[in-house]
Structure formats: C-alpha cells, structure tokens
Amino acid sequence: MESTGRRSPAVTGPARASTGYGQATLQRDLDAIRDAGAVGVQARVVSPRGELSAASGTATLGRDVPVPLDGHFRIGSNTKTFTAAVILQLEAEGHLSLSDRVERWLPGLVRGNGNDGAAITVRNLLQHTSGLHDHPHDVEQEMRTEAGFHRHRFARTPPEQVVALSVAHPPVFAPNSGWGYANVNYILAGMVIEKATGHSWREEVRRRIIAPLELRHTTLPGDSPSLPEPHVEGYTQDAQSSRLFRSTEVSLGWGGPAAEIVSTTDDLGRFWRALLGGRLLPRTQLRKMTTTVPTGVPGWEFGLGMAQRRLSFGIPVWSHAGGTPGFVTDNAVTPDGLTSVIVSRSTDGGSPAQHEAADRLIENAVRAASPTG
C-alpha cells in the first residue's frame, strides 16, 4: 500500500473554540484519523464558544499536498436530511401528509413481488420502515472493488428504474414492522416531492434550503462526475485486495435525493445548525423529524432523515453519516442547534479504526463545547 502522507497543513481558522479543546487538540484528533489510514481529513467545529477548522494528511496519495480547509466533498447520505426537510416543509404548507400512501403520489410504481405502495406511507420512506429491498445498496457493494467501481462509476439510471430494480425483489419485512436502511426510500421521496410541487427535488432543495441559508458552496451535480475546486482526491480501499484506488470522479445522479449533494464543512455545519435550531421547520414538523424508532443498533435511533445517538458522557446528538466512493462524512449537532462538528475524510472502505477515531473527535469536541465541558 502506498504511503498516505503525513502532512498536517497550517491552520487558517480561529485559534480556539473552547477551554480544553483548541487548535492543538483538534489537530491531534485529526492526526489520529490520518494515522488510522485516512489519506486526507478535514473538520470544522462550531459552538457558542467559537469556531475551529483544521486538516491532516494529504490531498493526493503519495504526495505532500495540503488538504484545503474549505475543500468540496460528496456528503453522501447527508443528502437524505435535506430531502426529509423539504418533505416536512411541504407538509407544514399542506401540500402532503406523512400519512399519505406512496400509491397516492406514485400510482403503480411500487407493486409486485409482495411490494405494495398502498401499504407504505411517506413517513415509512423517511424513517426507513418501508421494508423495501434496496437495489442502490447492491450497487454500492459492487463499487467497493476497483472492478465494480469502474463498472458503475458513470451510471445513468433514472429513478423509475432504480425503484423497479428494487421492487423486483420481495420486501425485507412488512411495512412498519421493522427498520431497514434503504436508499430507495429516498429515491421515492424525491419523486413524491416532484409530484407534489411540479418541480424537481433539486429545484426545491435549492429554493427552500440552499438559497435561504446562503450555502454558496453546496451543489447538486446530477450526473456530473466532477467536484468543484478546491477538493482533495478521493480513494476507496478495495474490499478484496485492500489496495487503495482513486475514486474521485463518479456519477451519483442515480442516487439523487439519497446521496448526491456536494458541500463543504462550513456549509454542511450551517445547514445542520439551522435545521436543529428551528430555522427551516416549524416546531411541529421539527418534533416529527426528531421522533425516533429503534434501529436495532444499541444507542442509535432514527427519526426522519437523521439519527440520534447518546455520546458516552450522556449528551444526545443528531447526525447522519455519509459514505460515497472516495469520501466519508461523520457529523454531530446538539439538539439546540448551537454546536456542530463536521468531519470529512477522503478514504472510504477503510478500517473501523478510522471511524472510531472520527467518533473520538466528535466526542471530545462536543464534550468541550457543552456547559459542563
């Protein structure tokens, strides 16, 4: 395996965010993620005590290239949180209801092999309780090898076909009788947005979230495989050989409302703080979004488009992990929307040690920002 580099570039962000967690400790935690195998990693911590940003590793494997603090990356399934927020805005405006059946908005689309759109609600889609088989996950698994990545990297698959390939399989469980993460739920949610508004889900995300929050570095690239500058190269660890291969250019338009958005640590943190801070949704809809069901994973419950977990020292946080070829996003925001931690690493498919190190960074930063930290 090639060297991942050791560069820890100079930091241009504010000097410290809180007593006990400053620039040096953030750098230490980022270096630990790098040492666990991440090629490059950047993070931004925003709290009432200030703001920190730093990076570690290298932007290009085998070279000593600084990781930009404002680098663009694919946020992956953080996209689902944007999509869920739009659905809840539409509910608040009376355009639809969470109890609406998928069959009402997309007649005949979810049918056959034991699947029935008349038994699945919009809420089931957002909360992953539909029971649908997830064809996108099958593709993701194939893309964990270099051969599979090159087979699918420029895929152009319309949402109707993604759904058809999913319902070609019987359901994993009956609607509302279990919990099972499925990207196809959000493909369907995006199609519901289009039916309810007459506009694409992308137009609605731009109009309702990106523009009002002035997320100037957040884009919806569709089938474009390119990333805006600046950005690091993304790498995937081959599931068979463990070799890192470059996976920067990839089309994720087929993942659309489940996985497509590109952003920065600054923009993504601003979105999460606005969402939990009540700037995007009325109180009733935010309460619905934060009403959870068990996932089967101890300590984790899922709301609508985001998960809640309790950190080791007792504080609950909201988040949604994001993984795409080349990039992994970890994050956390406090229930009051005042503190956010965004971590982006340019390596996916790596060892659990990378995720554990990212978790430690989040724990340390949130603990220091808390009133008792």
Side-chain angles (χ1 to χ4, degrees):
M1 182 181 300
E2 293 176 295
S3 168
T4 58
R6 292 290 173 183
R7 187 179 183 97
S8 298
V11 174
T12 59
R16 70 188 260 170
S18 65
T19 302
Y21 199 84
Q23 204 69 58
T25 44
L26 175 59
Q27 191 67 59
R28 175 205 65 196
D29 288 346
L30 283 168
D31 290 347
I33 300 172
R34 175 205 66 196
D35 292 343
V39 175
V41 59
Q42 59 170 314
R44 190 175 300 269
V45 179
V46 178
S47 78
R49 301 187 180 188
E51 179 174 343
L52 295 168
S53 59
S56 186
T58 179
T60 305
L61 189 66
R63 297 174 57 194
D64 190 17
V65 182
V67 173
L69 299 180
D70 58 350
H72 296 82
F73 56 91
R74 295 188 176 90
I75 70 172
S77 287
N78 271 248
T79 303
K80 293 179 175 70
T81 316
F82 285 73
T83 302
V86 169
I87 289 278
L88 285 158
Q89 287 181 346
L90 292 173
E91 187 201 44
E93 296 163 7
H95 296 292
L96 54 75
S97 169
L98 294 179
S99 61
D100 287 345
R101 306 289 167 162
V102 171
E103 182 69 14
R104 172 188 171 182
W105 292 104
L106 306 169
L109 189 63
V110 180
R111 188 177 296 172
N113 301 305
N115 299 286
D116 183 5
I120 299 172
T121 65
V122 173
R123 184 190 298 275
N124 292 148
L125 298 180
L126 300 187
Q127 199 148 48
H128 294 302
T129 53
S130 72
L132 292 172
H133 174 86
D134 191 28
H135 173 73
H137 177 72
D138 299 338
V139 176
E140 286 178 330
Q141 292 300 106
E142 291 186 38
M143 294 180 78
R144 293 186 185 279
T145 67
E146 189 167 7
F149 171 77
H150 287 288
R151 184 161 56 249
H152 294 289
R153 66 183 300 201
F154 298 131
R156 304 285 193 275
T157 309
E160 293 82 3
Q161 187 177 347
V162 174
V163 174
L165 290 167
S166 294
V167 301
H169 299 263
V172 181
F173 52 81
N176 218 37
S177 68
W179 188 87
Y181 190 86
N183 295 280
V184 69
N185 289 328
Y186 279 77
I187 304 297
L188 287 162
M191 298 173 77
V192 169
I193 290 172
E194 293 180 8
K195 288 288 186 177
T197 65
H199 306 128
S200 74
W201 71 271
R202 295 181 181 92
E203 290 179 73
E204 292 298 319
V205 167
R206 291 189 188 101
R207 182 173 72 85
R208 293 170 174 273
I209 298 176
I210 293 177
L213 296 183
E214 298 183 342
L215 306 181
R216 296 187 177 89
H217 304 289
T218 299
T219 56
L220 296 94
D223 286 326
S224 172
S226 302
L227 285 172
E229 295 290 349
H231 68 82
V232 300
E233 301 291 349
Y235 299 91
T236 297
Q237 185 170 336
D238 192 296
Q240 294 179 347
S241 69
S242 294
R243 174 184 175 272
L244 287 176
F245 63 87
R246 183 176 173 276
S247 50
T248 309
E249 288 87 21
V250 59
S251 299
L252 292 180
W254 58 271
E260 177 187 311
I261 292 177
V262 171
S263 192
T264 63
T265 57
D266 187 19
D267 272 14
L268 189 54
R270 189 181 310 171
F271 162 71
W272 276 102
R273 295 192 304 278
L275 178 61
L276 271 296
R279 292 177 55 197
L280 291 176
L281 295 174
R283 184 175 301 176
T284 297
Q285 275 65 42
L286 186 56
R287 186 182 304 116
K288 292 180 180 182
M289 195 173 195
T290 54
T291 298
T292 61
V293 297
T295 65
V297 178
W300 287 84
E301 295 189 344
F302 204 85
L304 304 181
M306 58 182 176
Q308 186 188 65
R309 63 170 169 145
R310 193 167 293 275
L311 300 181
S312 64
F313 53 97
I315 289 181
V317 292
W318 292 96
S319 67
H320 202 308
T324 71
F327 295 92
V328 174
T329 303
D330 295 292
N331 52 38
V333 60
T334 50
D336 57 12
L338 295 179
T339 297
S340 66
V341 185
I342 308 293
V343 184
S344 172
R345 41 194 161 105
S346 60
T347 313
D348 78 288
S351 70
Q354 289 182 43
H355 184 71
E356 292 166 3
D359 265 356
R360 285 195 297 273
L361 186 156
I362 289 170
E363 288 248 351
N364 293 338
V366 174
R367 184 196 296 267
S370 68
T372 57

